[in-house]
Amino acid sequence: MGTCDLRIGHNDKLYYDGNIGYRIYEKYRGNHYAGKACYLLFKLAKNMDYNI
């Protein structure tokens, strides 16, 4: 369906790209998968005591 990632740390690249990234393949778009993935990554970051 796609990919998602949690980028830990702070640097110049993350300043523009952000700490959470995702890509949903075109045929799976419109099903709220990106929102669900971001929610899970946010919960993971919170459980790791990482402030994003």
Side-chain angles (χ1 to χ4, degrees):
M1 291 186 267
T3 62
C4 61
D5 61 336
L6 176 62
R7 304 175 195 117
I8 304 297
H10 296 285
N11 59 41
D12 290 339
K13 182 167 175 46
L14 293 180
Y15 181 79
Y16 295 102
D17 293 344
N19 294 97
I20 292 180
Y22 60 86
R23 169 180 274 174
I24 303 299
Y25 302 134
E26 191 170 346
K27 73 180 205 174
Y28 297 105
R29 293 179 186 168
N31 295 300
H32 308 283
Y33 294 136
K36 293 173 185 176
C38 288
Y39 175 76
L40 292 172
L41 288 173
F42 186 78
K43 284 179 63 173
L44 176 65
K46 187 176 179 181
N47 287 338
M48 296 171 55
D49 290 328
Y50 182 69
N51 186 14
I52 60 172

